[in-house]
Amino acid sequence: MILLAANIACDIPLGVIALRTLGTDYRYEDESGNLAMMGADLATYLLTILVFLATVVVFVVWFHRVRQNAEVFAPDGHGRGAGWAIGGWFVPIACFWIPRVTAVDIWRASRPDPSAGDGPGELRLLNFWWGFWIASRLTLWTSERLAMRADTLDDLLTATWWELAGTVLDATAAVLAILFVRRLTSMQDAKANDMIPAA
């Protein structure tokens, strides 16, 4: 959760950079000012990448662990093996749905009665988190592609608008991920405590 919060903290300066870029009149910027901004911006982007990579590693490890716990809670309640809790994130195209399906299986196994039907809105938090995460990845990917193909200042500004939108979506997804991690972890803690016989 600390790393997810750090991602949100990194999204704020990224949003500021995007807003500053959109508000800059490049005709009147001197070269020294541009170079100073580029150095600070580069440091921000590098820090963001490092925080993101650390978050990916820790989150995937946590996700695999809660999947292993879910196997104990409901051995027959999973469509894929525990290895998919790691591998599913890294399979091109399939990474857009395999982790969500795995997360749903984990969620259902972690509730008091794994065989019960989903209650009204029970998966809402999971679905919102997943939707915002997918939207942020696609929006930031679009921003990168537009920036790489940009030939004019207008093209770069369009890419920056996409980057700003992706940054907002990413921060929102991180907030929802924190809530999801807290909720699922507490569900598993409660379930594990119920399974331990009294002394």
Side-chain angles (χ1 to χ4, degrees):
M1 290 187 297
I2 291 170
L3 284 169
L4 288 166
N7 273 273
I8 298 167
C10 288
D11 280 334
I12 294 169
L14 290 179
V16 170
I17 291 169
L19 287 171
R20 189 185 65 225
T21 301
L22 292 168
T24 298
D25 189 341
Y26 288 94
R27 293 171 298 178
Y28 301 108
E29 284 293 313
D30 66 2
E31 191 171 324
S32 63
N34 278 334
L35 290 175
M37 283 196 303
M38 284 174 58
D41 295 353
L42 181 60
T44 301
Y45 282 114
L46 289 175
L47 177 62
T48 300
I49 290 168
L50 291 174
V51 170
F52 178 76
L53 291 174
T55 306
V56 167
V57 170
V58 172
F59 186 88
V60 170
V61 168
W62 169 82
F63 196 68
H64 185 253
R65 287 182 178 173
V66 294
R67 170 58 179 82
Q68 288 177 312
N69 292 342
E71 186 84 26
V72 175
F73 300 150
D76 300 326
H78 307 279
R80 291 180 175 82
W84 283 103
I86 296 173
W89 294 96
F90 303 102
V91 178
I93 308 300
C95 65
F96 289 115
W97 74 83
I98 289 178
R100 186 208 170 267
V101 171
T102 303
V104 169
D105 289 345
I106 295 168
W107 186 280
R108 289 174 176 156
S110 302
R111 62 190 178 195
D113 182 2
S115 61
D118 297 335
E122 181 180 349
L123 299 176
R124 185 177 297 133
L125 174 59
L126 188 157
N127 289 330
F128 272 115
W129 158 63
W130 189 252
F132 274 94
W133 186 82
I134 292 295
S136 71
R137 297 302 101 203
L138 291 175
T139 305
L140 290 170
W141 179 84
T142 301
S143 168
E144 291 168 9
R145 293 301 170 274
L146 290 172
M148 286 172 22
R149 296 176 183 166
D151 293 326
T152 66
L153 178 58
D154 285 341
D155 293 341
L156 284 173
L157 292 177
T158 299
T160 303
W161 277 112
W162 278 89
E163 181 183 4
L164 180 60
T167 301
V168 171
L169 290 169
D170 186 66
T172 305
V175 170
L176 293 168
I178 290 171
L179 298 174
F180 172 70
V181 168
R182 287 176 56 92
R183 179 76 184 277
L184 186 54
T185 301
S186 67
M187 286 169 64
Q188 290 206 344
D189 284 345
K191 180 120 180 183
N193 287 331
D194 286 344
M195 293 175 71
I196 297 172

mmCIF file with all atom_site columns, all heavy atoms in Angstrom, residues 138-148 158-164:
data_model
loop_
_atom_site.group_PDB
_atom_site.id
_atom_site.type_symbol
_atom_site.label_atom_id
_atom_site.label_alt_id
_atom_site.label_comp_id
_atom_site.label_asym_id
_atom_site.label_entity_id
_atom_site.label_seq_id
_atom_site.pdbx_PDB_ins_code
_atom_site.Cartn_x
_atom_site.Cartn_y
_atom_site.Cartn_z
_atom_site.occupancy
_atom_site.B_iso_or_equiv
_atom_site.pdbx_formal_charge
_atom_site.auth_seq_id
_atom_site.auth_comp_id
_atom_site.auth_asym_id
_atom_site.auth_atom_id
_atom_site.pdbx_PDB_model_num
ATOM 1   N N   . LEU A 1 138 ? -4.011 1.820  -21.175 1.00 0.00 ? 138 LEU A N   1
ATOM 2   C CA  . LEU A 1 138 ? -4.292 2.086  -22.581 1.00 0.00 ? 138 LEU A CA  1
ATOM 3   C C   . LEU A 1 138 ? -4.089 3.565  -22.922 1.00 0.00 ? 138 LEU A C   1
ATOM 4   O O   . LEU A 1 138 ? -3.568 3.902  -23.987 1.00 0.00 ? 138 LEU A O   1
ATOM 5   C CB  . LEU A 1 138 ? -5.715 1.654  -22.927 1.00 0.00 ? 138 LEU A CB  1
ATOM 6   C CG  . LEU A 1 138 ? -5.975 0.144  -22.919 1.00 0.00 ? 138 LEU A CG  1
ATOM 7   C CD1 . LEU A 1 138 ? -7.456 -0.146 -23.154 1.00 0.00 ? 138 LEU A CD1 1
ATOM 8   C CD2 . LEU A 1 138 ? -5.124 -0.570 -23.963 1.00 0.00 ? 138 LEU A CD2 1
ATOM 9   N N   . THR A 1 139 ? -4.485 4.442  -22.004 1.00 0.00 ? 139 THR A N   1
ATOM 10  C CA  . THR A 1 139 ? -4.340 5.877  -22.249 1.00 0.00 ? 139 THR A CA  1
ATOM 11  C C   . THR A 1 139 ? -2.871 6.280  -22.275 1.00 0.00 ? 139 THR A C   1
ATOM 12  O O   . THR A 1 139 ? -2.437 7.035  -23.159 1.00 0.00 ? 139 THR A O   1
ATOM 13  C CB  . THR A 1 139 ? -5.099 6.679  -21.173 1.00 0.00 ? 139 THR A CB  1
ATOM 14  O OG1 . THR A 1 139 ? -6.457 6.239  -21.141 1.00 0.00 ? 139 THR A OG1 1
ATOM 15  C CG2 . THR A 1 139 ? -5.062 8.157  -21.455 1.00 0.00 ? 139 THR A CG2 1
ATOM 16  N N   . LEU A 1 140 ? -2.084 5.782  -21.329 1.00 0.00 ? 140 LEU A N   1
ATOM 17  C CA  . LEU A 1 140 ? -0.647 6.108  -21.317 1.00 0.00 ? 140 LEU A CA  1
ATOM 18  C C   . LEU A 1 140 ? 0.066  5.490  -22.517 1.00 0.00 ? 140 LEU A C   1
ATOM 19  O O   . LEU A 1 140 ? 0.978  6.096  -23.085 1.00 0.00 ? 140 LEU A O   1
ATOM 20  C CB  . LEU A 1 140 ? -0.025 5.648  -19.995 1.00 0.00 ? 140 LEU A CB  1
ATOM 21  C CG  . LEU A 1 140 ? -0.470 6.454  -18.771 1.00 0.00 ? 140 LEU A CG  1
ATOM 22  C CD1 . LEU A 1 140 ? 0.003  5.782  -17.481 1.00 0.00 ? 140 LEU A CD1 1
ATOM 23  C CD2 . LEU A 1 140 ? 0.049  7.887  -18.846 1.00 0.00 ? 140 LEU A CD2 1
ATOM 24  N N   . TRP A 1 141 ? -0.337 4.293  -22.918 1.00 0.00 ? 141 TRP A N   1
ATOM 25  C CA  . TRP A 1 141 ? 0.238  3.669  -24.116 1.00 0.00 ? 141 TRP A CA  1
ATOM 26  C C   . TRP A 1 141 ? -0.063 4.521  -25.350 1.00 0.00 ? 141 TRP A C   1
ATOM 27  O O   . TRP A 1 141 ? 0.820  4.748  -26.185 1.00 0.00 ? 141 TRP A O   1
ATOM 28  C CB  . TRP A 1 141 ? -0.327 2.261  -24.282 1.00 0.00 ? 141 TRP A CB  1
ATOM 29  C CG  . TRP A 1 141 ? 0.164  1.539  -25.494 1.00 0.00 ? 141 TRP A CG  1
ATOM 30  C CD1 . TRP A 1 141 ? 1.325  0.824  -25.615 1.00 0.00 ? 141 TRP A CD1 1
ATOM 31  C CD2 . TRP A 1 141 ? -0.489 1.447  -26.772 1.00 0.00 ? 141 TRP A CD2 1
ATOM 32  N NE1 . TRP A 1 141 ? 1.442  0.294  -26.877 1.00 0.00 ? 141 TRP A NE1 1
ATOM 33  C CE2 . TRP A 1 141 ? 0.343  0.665  -27.609 1.00 0.00 ? 141 TRP A CE2 1
ATOM 34  C CE3 . TRP A 1 141 ? -1.688 1.953  -27.281 1.00 0.00 ? 141 TRP A CE3 1
ATOM 35  C CZ2 . TRP A 1 141 ? 0.006  0.381  -28.925 1.00 0.00 ? 141 TRP A CZ2 1
ATOM 36  C CZ3 . TRP A 1 141 ? -2.021 1.682  -28.589 1.00 0.00 ? 141 TRP A CZ3 1
ATOM 37  C CH2 . TRP A 1 141 ? -1.179 0.899  -29.401 1.00 0.00 ? 141 TRP A CH2 1
ATOM 38  N N   . THR A 1 142 ? -1.290 5.022  -25.450 1.00 0.00 ? 142 THR A N   1
ATOM 39  C CA  . THR A 1 142 ? -1.663 5.882  -26.571 1.00 0.00 ? 142 THR A CA  1
ATOM 40  C C   . THR A 1 142 ? -0.833 7.160  -26.564 1.00 0.00 ? 142 THR A C   1
ATOM 41  O O   . THR A 1 142 ? -0.344 7.617  -27.606 1.00 0.00 ? 142 THR A O   1
ATOM 42  C CB  . THR A 1 142 ? -3.169 6.237  -26.503 1.00 0.00 ? 142 THR A CB  1
ATOM 43  O OG1 . THR A 1 142 ? -3.935 5.026  -26.529 1.00 0.00 ? 142 THR A OG1 1
ATOM 44  C CG2 . THR A 1 142 ? -3.577 7.134  -27.647 1.00 0.00 ? 142 THR A CG2 1
ATOM 45  N N   . SER A 1 143 ? -0.629 7.733  -25.374 1.00 0.00 ? 143 SER A N   1
ATOM 46  C CA  . SER A 1 143 ? 0.184  8.934  -25.254 1.00 0.00 ? 143 SER A CA  1
ATOM 47  C C   . SER A 1 143 ? 1.606  8.700  -25.758 1.00 0.00 ? 143 SER A C   1
ATOM 48  O O   . SER A 1 143 ? 2.162  9.515  -26.496 1.00 0.00 ? 143 SER A O   1
ATOM 49  C CB  . SER A 1 143 ? 0.215  9.385  -23.790 1.00 0.00 ? 143 SER A CB  1
ATOM 50  O OG  . SER A 1 143 ? 1.203  10.364 -23.586 1.00 0.00 ? 143 SER A OG  1
ATOM 51  N N   . GLU A 1 144 ? 2.191  7.561  -25.367 1.00 0.00 ? 144 GLU A N   1
ATOM 52  C CA  . GLU A 1 144 ? 3.562  7.252  -25.807 1.00 0.00 ? 144 GLU A CA  1
ATOM 53  C C   . GLU A 1 144 ? 3.634  7.115  -27.321 1.00 0.00 ? 144 GLU A C   1
ATOM 54  O O   . GLU A 1 144 ? 4.573  7.612  -27.959 1.00 0.00 ? 144 GLU A O   1
ATOM 55  C CB  . GLU A 1 144 ? 4.039  5.968  -25.142 1.00 0.00 ? 144 GLU A CB  1
ATOM 56  C CG  . GLU A 1 144 ? 4.264  6.098  -23.645 1.00 0.00 ? 144 GLU A CG  1
ATOM 57  C CD  . GLU A 1 144 ? 4.457  4.745  -22.974 1.00 0.00 ? 144 GLU A CD  1
ATOM 58  O OE1 . GLU A 1 144 ? 4.585  3.729  -23.702 1.00 0.00 ? 144 GLU A OE1 1
ATOM 59  O OE2 . GLU A 1 144 ? 4.479  4.700  -21.738 1.00 0.00 ? 144 GLU A OE2 1
ATOM 60  N N   . ARG A 1 145 ? 2.664  6.422  -27.901 1.00 0.00 ? 145 ARG A N   1
ATOM 61  C CA  . ARG A 1 145 ? 2.675  6.221  -29.357 1.00 0.00 ? 145 ARG A CA  1
ATOM 62  C C   . ARG A 1 145 ? 2.508  7.550  -30.097 1.00 0.00 ? 145 ARG A C   1
ATOM 63  O O   . ARG A 1 145 ? 3.173  7.803  -31.093 1.00 0.00 ? 145 ARG A O   1
ATOM 64  C CB  . ARG A 1 145 ? 1.551  5.254  -29.783 1.00 0.00 ? 145 ARG A CB  1
ATOM 65  C CG  . ARG A 1 145 ? 1.735  3.834  -29.289 1.00 0.00 ? 145 ARG A CG  1
ATOM 66  C CD  . ARG A 1 145 ? 3.054  3.234  -29.807 1.00 0.00 ? 145 ARG A CD  1
ATOM 67  N NE  . ARG A 1 145 ? 3.384  1.979  -29.181 1.00 0.00 ? 145 ARG A NE  1
ATOM 68  C CZ  . ARG A 1 145 ? 4.043  1.824  -28.046 1.00 0.00 ? 145 ARG A CZ  1
ATOM 69  N NH1 . ARG A 1 145 ? 4.424  2.880  -27.362 1.00 0.00 ? 145 ARG A NH1 1
ATOM 70  N NH2 . ARG A 1 145 ? 4.335  0.631  -27.576 1.00 0.00 ? 145 ARG A NH2 1
ATOM 71  N N   . LEU A 1 146 ? 1.612  8.404  -29.599 1.00 0.00 ? 146 LEU A N   1
ATOM 72  C CA  . LEU A 1 146 ? 1.409  9.706  -30.228 1.00 0.00 ? 146 LEU A CA  1
ATOM 73  C C   . LEU A 1 146 ? 2.668  10.565 -30.128 1.00 0.00 ? 146 LEU A C   1
ATOM 74  O O   . LEU A 1 146 ? 3.028  11.268 -31.079 1.00 0.00 ? 146 LEU A O   1
ATOM 75  C CB  . LEU A 1 146 ? 0.223  10.432 -29.586 1.00 0.00 ? 146 LEU A CB  1
ATOM 76  C CG  . LEU A 1 146 ? -1.160 9.850  -29.878 1.00 0.00 ? 146 LEU A CG  1
ATOM 77  C CD1 . LEU A 1 146 ? -2.216 10.539 -29.012 1.00 0.00 ? 146 LEU A CD1 1
ATOM 78  C CD2 . LEU A 1 146 ? -1.509 10.003 -31.358 1.00 0.00 ? 146 LEU A CD2 1
ATOM 79  N N   . ALA A 1 147 ? 3.343  10.523 -28.981 1.00 0.00 ? 147 ALA A N   1
ATOM 80  C CA  . ALA A 1 147 ? 4.566  11.316 -28.805 1.00 0.00 ? 147 ALA A CA  1
ATOM 81  C C   . ALA A 1 147 ? 5.680  10.825 -29.726 1.00 0.00 ? 147 ALA A C   1
ATOM 82  O O   . ALA A 1 147 ? 6.430  11.630 -30.292 1.00 0.00 ? 147 ALA A O   1
ATOM 83  C CB  . ALA A 1 147 ? 5.015  11.255 -27.347 1.00 0.00 ? 147 ALA A CB  1
ATOM 84  N N   . MET A 1 148 ? 5.793  9.509  -29.897 1.00 0.00 ? 148 MET A N   1
ATOM 85  C CA  . MET A 1 148 ? 6.847  8.961  -30.755 1.00 0.00 ? 148 MET A CA  1
ATOM 86  C C   . MET A 1 148 ? 6.617  9.320  -32.225 1.00 0.00 ? 148 MET A C   1
ATOM 87  O O   . MET A 1 148 ? 7.575  9.466  -32.982 1.00 0.00 ? 148 MET A O   1
ATOM 88  C CB  . MET A 1 148 ? 6.907  7.441  -30.596 1.00 0.00 ? 148 MET A CB  1
ATOM 89  C CG  . MET A 1 148 ? 7.542  7.041  -29.280 1.00 0.00 ? 148 MET A CG  1
ATOM 90  S SD  . MET A 1 148 ? 7.462  5.265  -28.854 1.00 0.00 ? 148 MET A SD  1
ATOM 91  C CE  . MET A 1 148 ? 7.239  4.429  -30.353 1.00 0.00 ? 148 MET A CE  1
ATOM 92  N N   . THR A 1 158 ? -1.172 17.133 -28.278 1.00 0.00 ? 158 THR A N   1
ATOM 93  C CA  . THR A 1 158 ? -2.201 16.088 -28.234 1.00 0.00 ? 158 THR A CA  1
ATOM 94  C C   . THR A 1 158 ? -1.720 14.915 -27.392 1.00 0.00 ? 158 THR A C   1
ATOM 95  O O   . THR A 1 158 ? -2.464 14.386 -26.550 1.00 0.00 ? 158 THR A O   1
ATOM 96  C CB  . THR A 1 158 ? -2.538 15.612 -29.660 1.00 0.00 ? 158 THR A CB  1
ATOM 97  O OG1 . THR A 1 158 ? -3.041 16.716 -30.415 1.00 0.00 ? 158 THR A OG1 1
ATOM 98  C CG2 . THR A 1 158 ? -3.576 14.493 -29.631 1.00 0.00 ? 158 THR A CG2 1
ATOM 99  N N   . ALA A 1 159 ? -0.463 14.509 -27.586 1.00 0.00 ? 159 ALA A N   1
ATOM 100 C CA  . ALA A 1 159 ? 0.110  13.419 -26.789 1.00 0.00 ? 159 ALA A CA  1
ATOM 101 C C   . ALA A 1 159 ? 0.148  13.792 -25.315 1.00 0.00 ? 159 ALA A C   1
ATOM 102 O O   . ALA A 1 159 ? -0.091 12.948 -24.444 1.00 0.00 ? 159 ALA A O   1
ATOM 103 C CB  . ALA A 1 159 ? 1.516  13.095 -27.281 1.00 0.00 ? 159 ALA A CB  1
ATOM 104 N N   . THR A 1 160 ? 0.412  15.068 -25.022 1.00 0.00 ? 160 THR A N   1
ATOM 105 C CA  . THR A 1 160 ? 0.463  15.531 -23.633 1.00 0.00 ? 160 THR A CA  1
ATOM 106 C C   . THR A 1 160 ? -0.920 15.480 -22.985 1.00 0.00 ? 160 THR A C   1
ATOM 107 O O   . THR A 1 160 ? -1.045 15.144 -21.801 1.00 0.00 ? 160 THR A O   1
ATOM 108 C CB  . THR A 1 160 ? 1.050  16.952 -23.566 1.00 0.00 ? 160 THR A CB  1
ATOM 109 O OG1 . THR A 1 160 ? 2.346  16.951 -24.181 1.00 0.00 ? 160 THR A OG1 1
ATOM 110 C CG2 . THR A 1 160 ? 1.192  17.414 -22.125 1.00 0.00 ? 160 THR A CG2 1
ATOM 111 N N   . TRP A 1 161 ? -1.963 15.836 -23.740 1.00 0.00 ? 161 TRP A N   1
ATOM 112 C CA  . TRP A 1 161 ? -3.327 15.710 -23.205 1.00 0.00 ? 161 TRP A CA  1
ATOM 113 C C   . TRP A 1 161 ? -3.633 14.264 -22.839 1.00 0.00 ? 161 TRP A C   1
ATOM 114 O O   . TRP A 1 161 ? -4.226 13.991 -21.788 1.00 0.00 ? 161 TRP A O   1
ATOM 115 C CB  . TRP A 1 161 ? -4.356 16.223 -24.220 1.00 0.00 ? 161 TRP A CB  1
ATOM 116 C CG  . TRP A 1 161 ? -4.543 17.703 -24.197 1.00 0.00 ? 161 TRP A CG  1
ATOM 117 C CD1 . TRP A 1 161 ? -4.189 18.604 -25.169 1.00 0.00 ? 161 TRP A CD1 1
ATOM 118 C CD2 . TRP A 1 161 ? -5.107 18.482 -23.135 1.00 0.00 ? 161 TRP A CD2 1
ATOM 119 N NE1 . TRP A 1 161 ? -4.504 19.875 -24.782 1.00 0.00 ? 161 TRP A NE1 1
ATOM 120 C CE2 . TRP A 1 161 ? -5.084 19.839 -23.533 1.00 0.00 ? 161 TRP A CE2 1
ATOM 121 C CE3 . TRP A 1 161 ? -5.648 18.163 -21.890 1.00 0.00 ? 161 TRP A CE3 1
ATOM 122 C CZ2 . TRP A 1 161 ? -5.564 20.865 -22.730 1.00 0.00 ? 161 TRP A CZ2 1
ATOM 123 C CZ3 . TRP A 1 161 ? -6.132 19.188 -21.085 1.00 0.00 ? 161 TRP A CZ3 1
ATOM 124 C CH2 . TRP A 1 161 ? -6.083 20.523 -21.505 1.00 0.00 ? 161 TRP A CH2 1
ATOM 125 N N   . TRP A 1 162 ? -3.231 13.338 -23.710 1.00 0.00 ? 162 TRP A N   1
ATOM 126 C CA  . TRP A 1 162 ? -3.424 11.910 -23.411 1.00 0.00 ? 162 TRP A CA  1
ATOM 127 C C   . TRP A 1 162 ? -2.617 11.512 -22.174 1.00 0.00 ? 162 TRP A C   1
ATOM 128 O O   . TRP A 1 162 ? -3.097 10.738 -21.339 1.00 0.00 ? 162 TRP A O   1
ATOM 129 C CB  . TRP A 1 162 ? -3.009 11.059 -24.614 1.00 0.00 ? 162 TRP A CB  1
ATOM 130 C CG  . TRP A 1 162 ? -4.059 10.965 -25.667 1.00 0.00 ? 162 TRP A CG  1
ATOM 131 C CD1 . TRP A 1 162 ? -4.245 11.807 -26.724 1.00 0.00 ? 162 TRP A CD1 1
ATOM 132 C CD2 . TRP A 1 162 ? -5.092 9.975  -25.749 1.00 0.00 ? 162 TRP A CD2 1
ATOM 133 N NE1 . TRP A 1 162 ? -5.326 11.402 -27.466 1.00 0.00 ? 162 TRP A NE1 1
ATOM 134 C CE2 . TRP A 1 162 ? -5.867 10.283 -26.899 1.00 0.00 ? 162 TRP A CE2 1
ATOM 135 C CE3 . TRP A 1 162 ? -5.445 8.880  -24.987 1.00 0.00 ? 162 TRP A CE3 1
ATOM 136 C CZ2 . TRP A 1 162 ? -6.966 9.518  -27.292 1.00 0.00 ? 162 TRP A CZ2 1
ATOM 137 C CZ3 . TRP A 1 162 ? -6.542 8.115  -25.373 1.00 0.00 ? 162 TRP A CZ3 1
ATOM 138 C CH2 . TRP A 1 162 ? -7.287 8.436  -26.506 1.00 0.00 ? 162 TRP A CH2 1
ATOM 139 N N   . GLU A 1 163 ? -1.400 12.038 -22.058 1.00 0.00 ? 163 GLU A N   1
ATOM 140 C CA  . GLU A 1 163 ? -0.576 11.719 -20.887 1.00 0.00 ? 163 GLU A CA  1
ATOM 141 C C   . GLU A 1 163 ? -1.216 12.233 -19.607 1.00 0.00 ? 163 GLU A C   1
ATOM 142 O O   . GLU A 1 163 ? -1.228 11.544 -18.579 1.00 0.00 ? 163 GLU A O   1
ATOM 143 C CB  . GLU A 1 163 ? 0.819  12.324 -21.054 1.00 0.00 ? 163 GLU A CB  1
ATOM 144 C CG  . GLU A 1 163 ? 1.749  12.019 -19.899 1.00 0.00 ? 163 GLU A CG  1
ATOM 145 C CD  . GLU A 1 163 ? 3.106  12.672 -20.032 1.00 0.00 ? 163 GLU A CD  1
ATOM 146 O OE1 . GLU A 1 163 ? 3.320  13.427 -20.996 1.00 0.00 ? 163 GLU A OE1 1
ATOM 147 O OE2 . GLU A 1 163 ? 3.945  12.424 -19.156 1.00 0.00 ? 163 GLU A OE2 1
ATOM 148 N N   . LEU A 1 164 ? -1.756 13.441 -19.661 1.00 0.00 ? 164 LEU A N   1
ATOM 149 C CA  . LEU A 1 164 ? -2.420 14.003 -18.481 1.00 0.00 ? 164 LEU A CA  1
ATOM 150 C C   . LEU A 1 164 ? -3.621 13.141 -18.082 1.00 0.00 ? 164 LEU A C   1
ATOM 151 O O   . LEU A 1 164 ? -3.806 12.826 -16.898 1.00 0.00 ? 164 LEU A O   1
ATOM 152 C CB  . LEU A 1 164 ? -2.859 15.440 -18.773 1.00 0.00 ? 164 LEU A CB  1
ATOM 153 C CG  . LEU A 1 164 ? -3.579 16.171 -17.636 1.00 0.00 ? 164 LEU A CG  1
ATOM 154 C CD1 . LEU A 1 164 ? -2.691 16.273 -16.400 1.00 0.00 ? 164 LEU A CD1 1
ATOM 155 C CD2 . LEU A 1 164 ? -4.014 17.562 -18.103 1.00 0.00 ? 164 LEU A CD2 1
#
